Structure formats: C-alpha cells, structure tokens
Amino acid sequence: MAEHFHVNTPLLESVTMSKVVGTTVYLKMENSQPSGSFKIRGIGHLCQQLATQSKGVVCSSGGNAGMAAAYAARKMGVPATIIVPSSSPQLVVQRLQDQGATVKIIGKVWDDANAEALRMAETEGLTYVPPFDHPLLWHGHASIIAEAAACLGPSVKPGAVVLSVGGGGLLCGVIQGLKDVGWTDVPVIAMETEGADCFNAAVKAGKVVTLDDITSEAKCLGAKTVCKKAFEYSQCSELTIISELVTDQQALHAVETFLDEERVLVEMACGAALAAVYSGVVRRLQDEGRLLGPLLVIVCGGSSVDMKQLSHLKHKLQT
C-alpha cells in the first residue's frame, strides 16, 4: 500500500481556550494538512482505493473536498476536474487551478455542482469523489481519533470531542474513530451555523430533511441534506451526539479570536466548532452536568479564507 497523502497533525494544548472553559483544551490541527483541511484523510484514502487506474477524478465541492481531491490526483498523476458552485470565492478557484485541476463553475449551491459531477462521472468514465457521503471517506477521517489517542496516551481520555458538521463526513469518521479506540462513551458536540444546519434540522425532525436554502456565510458547511449515516448515529442510544447551533457572527468572532490567540487563520466553517468554546456553548453544557473532563477540538481548517475574505465577511456580517 502506498503511503498516505495526509500527515499526522499536531495535537496542541491551548492555554487560552483552557482558561475560558476551566478544563484542558486540546486542538487537533487539521488546518496543517497539505490540502488545508482534514478532507485529505478520507479523500486521499478513497482515491488510493478507487482511482489508481482511473482516467481522472471528478469532485463537486465548495472548497476543501475539491482541494483534497486535486491534491491527491496530482500526487497520483491523474487528471482532476473540480465542479464548484458560483458561491465559491475566486480564491478557491485559483487554489484549485494551482493544484493543476480543471475547474468548472456550475449552479448556485453544492447540490447543483454535484449533479454535474455525477453526470460527468457517468458520461466520461471518471471516478466520482463524493465530498462527505462514503464509507471509505469515514475510514480515512477516523485516523484523526487514532492519532489523538496515541498522542494523549492511555491515561488521558477526552470528556468530549468538538467538531463542525457540514454534510456529516467528519462526524461519521470521528464516530468510527471513537469506536476503533474504545471511546464510544465520549460525547461528540456537533456544531453548525444557523442557516447551514441540516444535521440539527434532521435531529429535531427525527428524520433526514432537506433545507430550502443555505443562508449562512459558512459556505463550506453548505450541504442542504446531511448524510444518512450521520443521522443514524444521532439516533443511536450507545452514542451521545449533542447538536448545537451558533450564529454566523459567533463563528466569525471565533475565527478572529483564534487568529489573535493561536496565530492561525481558519474559515468560518471551522469557526463553528471553535465557537463552542468562545461563545459559551461548552460552559453551558458543563453547567448542565453534561460535560466532564478535557476537550478535544478538531480544527478542521479551510482553504477558502484569507485576510481579504475575512474583511469581506466582517463587513457583510456587521450590517
């Protein structure tokens, strides 16, 4: 088996975040992956399994999944076509092209781009790379927890894992990872922004639902329907998944605070997870007696942000 495309990312203790919640906060720094986010774990694994003899890969993505697919394809010497919706920042298109991918802009939201990717896979014989809904992706993402467990050692077990949910691929991978290391009793705090809350909507409705539209600025959380497996996990009595929402303003504030305190710039989709600490969600859950012990926060990263985009978001969300 060829070596992985992902790297074993640092697990850092955040003194400032630990102070906010009164317990140790460990940060799994997935922003330091070569493609800019955790997505390379699952997508790299899937490409190695399915695309070695491929004519090319096609992936629909508003950003990070596309970056991971383009990176993996370049490493494998296979052509990549990435279909992005028109809501994707120009910065993302440029970064995808820098990885050597062909970029097509189709439709307004990810669902439109995905329909085109499926069509191209069918008509042009390309390998379809799904951004979040595939067991091979979850298997790859599970390595986050395996690494964290190895790094923390047998004497430290997190009191909770905090992550952002878009389509649910990271959530499925983390739960797979928790099962692998015997941590199924560790609660998962699943964070979304209002307006990109397909998982929370499904949990509330007791069934998978499709949002009418994505109104949040956290475009990378912008799937209108969560993957079925993520919803099934939320209904499983052996697991504790706590679904929480923050506003776009809280997610953006978290991005800015994280940049000041940890010297790292991540996108708003990642800011949703960080906002669990900064906006008081974790404190509230602690007060309710639902959380005990140290936190493991997955800093999922993001390739669709730079200082110009950050200024643009600040301006947009202040109105």
Side-chain angles (χ1 to χ4, degrees):
M1 182 66 194
E3 62 182 85
H4 301 305
F5 295 131
H6 67 262
V7 299
N8 186 333
T9 54
L11 186 73
L12 307 176
E13 187 182 328
S14 169
V15 175
T16 45
M17 288 175 106
S18 300
K19 208 164 81 178
V20 173
V21 291
T23 187
T24 310
V25 176
Y26 296 102
L27 303 172
K28 188 66 171 140
M29 302 297 283
E30 289 298 292
N31 58 294
S32 58
Q33 289 293 357
S35 71
S37 84
F38 77 95
K39 292 272 190 187
I40 190 63
R41 291 179 184 270
I43 285 175
H45 180 64
L46 180 133
C47 288
Q48 282 178 317
Q49 297 289 317
L50 302 182
T52 43
Q53 306 299 311
S54 177
K55 286 203 295 189
V57 300
V58 61
C59 178
S60 54
S61 164
N64 295 312
M67 282 299 292
Y71 178 84
R74 181 168 66 80
K75 288 289 181 192
M76 291 169 71
V78 170
T81 303
I82 312 299
I83 321 273
V84 301
S86 59
S87 58
S88 306
Q90 180 53 41
L91 149 82
V92 171
V93 175
Q94 187 56 57
R95 285 182 176 171
L96 287 166
Q97 288 168 337
D98 290 346
Q99 286 286 357
T102 302
V103 182
K104 285 176 79 169
I105 300 171
I106 304 277
K108 275 191 0 192
V109 290
W110 172 78
D111 304 71
D112 303 333
N114 194 45
E116 173 64 11
L118 289 166
R119 189 197 66 75
M120 282 186 69
E122 189 70 30
T123 56
E124 300 181 28
L126 302 175
T127 302
Y128 171 69
V129 177
F132 55 82
D133 197 356
H134 198 289
L136 287 172
L137 298 179
W138 311 330
H139 180 83
H141 299 334
S143 57
I144 293 177
I145 299 296
E147 283 174 20
C151 198
L152 290 170
S155 59
V156 180
K157 180 167 151 183
V161 178
V162 182
L163 50 77
S164 296
V165 176
L170 178 57
L171 176 62
C172 291
V174 162
I175 288 172
Q176 176 74 56
L178 293 173
K179 287 180 172 185
D180 293 345
V181 302
W183 283 356
T184 44
D185 56 335
V186 174
V188 176
I189 305 173
M191 301 297 300
E192 293 172 286
T193 50
E194 291 168 8
D197 49 355
C198 63
F199 179 66
N200 186 267
V203 170
K204 281 183 180 153
K207 62 177 198 278
V208 174
V209 293
T210 300
L211 302 176
D212 294 336
D213 196 15
I214 301 296
T215 54
S216 167
E217 287 301 319
K219 298 298 180 200
C220 292
L221 297 181
K224 291 201 287 190
T225 316
V226 76
C227 71
K228 193 159 148 275
K229 188 72 171 172
F231 171 71
E232 285 168 6
Y233 279 143
S234 76
Q235 304 297 297
C236 173
S237 58
E238 285 91 77
L239 301 166
T240 305
I241 301 175
I242 302 169
S243 172
E244 294 281 347
L245 298 181
V246 288
T247 63
D248 273 1
Q249 283 81 3
Q250 286 171 317
L252 181 63
H253 172 70
V255 167
E256 293 181 291
T257 310
F258 196 70
L259 179 58
D260 284 345
E261 293 185 350
E262 308 294 336
R263 306 167 306 285
V264 173
L265 178 60
V266 293
E267 65 191 28
M268 267 183 62
C270 181
L274 304 174
V277 170
Y278 294 130
S279 75
V281 172
V282 167
R283 267 290 191 205
R284 191 188 79 236
L285 293 170
Q286 288 170 328
D287 293 344
E288 290 169 7
R290 295 165 75 187
L291 290 189
L292 294 165
L295 288 185
L296 173 60
V297 179
I298 298 175
V299 182
C300 49
S303 42
S304 60
V305 68
D306 57 11
M307 290 309 289
K308 188 176 163 194
Q309 181 69 10
L310 188 62
S311 308
H312 166 72
L313 288 166
K314 275 183 76 161
H315 182 73
K316 197 165 178 178
L317 292 173
Q318 274 166 355
T319 51

